[in-house]
Amino acid sequence: MSKFKEFQKALTKAKNVVVLTGAGVSAESGIPTFRDKNGLWRQYEFMDLATPEAFESNPALVWQFYQYRRIMASKAKPNASHYAITNLEQKLLSNNISFTLITQNIDELHKRANTKNIIEMHGSLFRFKNEFYEGFKEDGINVYSNYNLNICDVLTEKTCAPNISNDELINIDISKLPHDENGVLLRPAVVWFGEALDYEIMNEINSTLDKCDFLIIIGTSGVVYPAANFARLVQINYGVVSEFNLEPTSLSKSFDYFFQGKSGDLLPEAFDIQF
Ligand code: OAD
């Protein structure tokens, strides 16, 4: 008997399913997670660069780091986890069960795997915004979609490489970085540590979680708020919470179902539900 049988039975009884993903779903696409041992770029920890203070003191360095991640995400391909989530969405919708994917990832691999109803709560590597604009919603003012990898002459694959030697580091003039048509410096439209999430996106998430009766958490360490609190919000409403992760997390024991392993191995079978 499949180890997923009980989980699948419960899932087919749900009315409003929410999937929450983190960096673990993209790991099998070759994108490093944040809290593993490969999480460095040059000598910097991710958290040294993903802050408004880092951008203010050295915008060129932060742009190089994000351009490196844009290039890496562009080259990566969605993996079996992304496609299993898309299949689940289609199956649930055709059985009148609502589906929302909330992702903390900014690599757009879910979009490329054709999942439709996605909330990108931490923004996207493929959108830029005016450095003074606080929101980052796709259709907001001052937010620009940009899939071009040649965004400017000074942010090339070579200048943004993670293993560049000090001799090769060049001083980049801020005026050469991406600017909008009014001459305002652009930045990646992502959430940095110390920044609030987009207000409209947070409202959308709250109303989605309010209705949610079945939450599936995949590949996130569950230490970054507000996502770290989503399970609790669903549990307060007596919803079912399930988790798929390579390792147990601090909350795994409090969930209804926990499946340990690579999401690319687990999800295709787990989401193969029959009505
Ligand atoms: P983390 O790096 O904190 O956690 C990744 C999780 O994925 C860990 O729990 C791993 O055990 C698990 N994992 C790794 N490979 C996996 C696989 N193949 N299958 C299943 N699970 C796997 O990444 P996040 O939880 O996404 O925020 O981090 C949350 C937020 O912190 C990020 O969105 C980012 C970061 O700092 C911002 O940038 C605001």
Side-chain angles (χ1 to χ4, degrees), residues 156-183:
T156 64
E157 191 157 356
K158 186 158 185 274
T159 60
C160 300
N163 48 5
I164 199 165
S165 71
N166 276 343
D167 305 342
E168 289 172 294
L169 282 177
I170 48 162
N171 276 329
I172 296 178
D173 192 329
I174 294 180
S175 67
K176 303 242 163 63
L177 293 172
H179 285 73
D180 71 9
E181 67 276 9
N182 299 317

Side-chain angles (χ1 to χ4, degrees), residues 21-29 31-36 46-47 50 66 69 79 81 103-106 121-122 190-195 197 218-225 227 243-249 259-266:
T21 60
V25 291
S26 293
E28 289 158 73
S29 295
I31 298 182
T33 58
F34 298 107
R35 290 169 183 82
D36 72 12
F46 170 81
M47 289 204 21
Y66 277 90
R69 294 177 65 191
N79 66 53
S81 317
T103 187
Q104 298 168 88
N105 300 343
I106 57 177
M121 63 179 288
H122 289 166
V190 298
V191 180
W192 281 332
F193 285 96
E195 291 185 322
L197 261 68
I218 309 166
T220 173
S221 55
V223 296
V224 175
Y225 285 84
E243 185 186 31
F244 294 78
N245 198 306
L246 207 49
E247 309 285 348
T249 59
F259 299 104
Q260 183 165 2
K262 289 186 175 178
S263 54
D265 293 340
L266 299 172

Side-chain angles (χ1 to χ4, degrees), residues 86-101:
T86 303
N87 288 338
L88 178 68
E89 175 179 47
Q90 288 165 0
K91 265 195 188 167
L92 294 177
L93 290 183
S94 57
N95 285 281
N96 295 320
I97 299 174
S98 89
F99 173 94
T100 307
L101 170 64

Side-chain angles (χ1 to χ4, degrees), residues 9-21:
K9 216 165 123 191
L11 180 55
T12 56
K13 291 193 183 130
K15 292 276 165 275
N16 295 294
V17 173
V18 176
V19 170
L20 167 68
T21 60

Side-chain angles (χ1 to χ4, degrees), residues 20 215 217 220-235 241-245 247-259:
L20 167 68
L215 175 67
I217 303 173
T220 173
S221 55
V223 296
V224 175
Y225 285 84
N229 202 36
F230 291 174
R232 184 83 196 103
L233 295 176
V234 172
Q235 284 172 325
V241 180
S242 53
E243 185 186 31
F244 294 78
N245 198 306
E247 309 285 348
T249 59
S250 63
L251 291 177
S252 304
K253 282 204 178 110
S254 71
F255 297 153
D256 301 275
Y257 303 96
F258 171 69
F259 299 104

Side-chain angles (χ1 to χ4, degrees), residues 74-85:
S74 291
K75 286 184 177 168
K77 292 194 169 60
N79 66 53
S81 317
H82 299 102
Y83 290 114
I85 293 168

Side-chain angles (χ1 to χ4, degrees), residues 50 59 75 105 125-126 155 180 186 213-214 229 236 248 263:
K75 286 184 177 168
N105 300 343
L125 287 168
F126 300 99
L155 296 174
D180 71 9
L186 294 174
D213 57 1
F214 202 108
N229 202 36
I236 286 170
S263 54

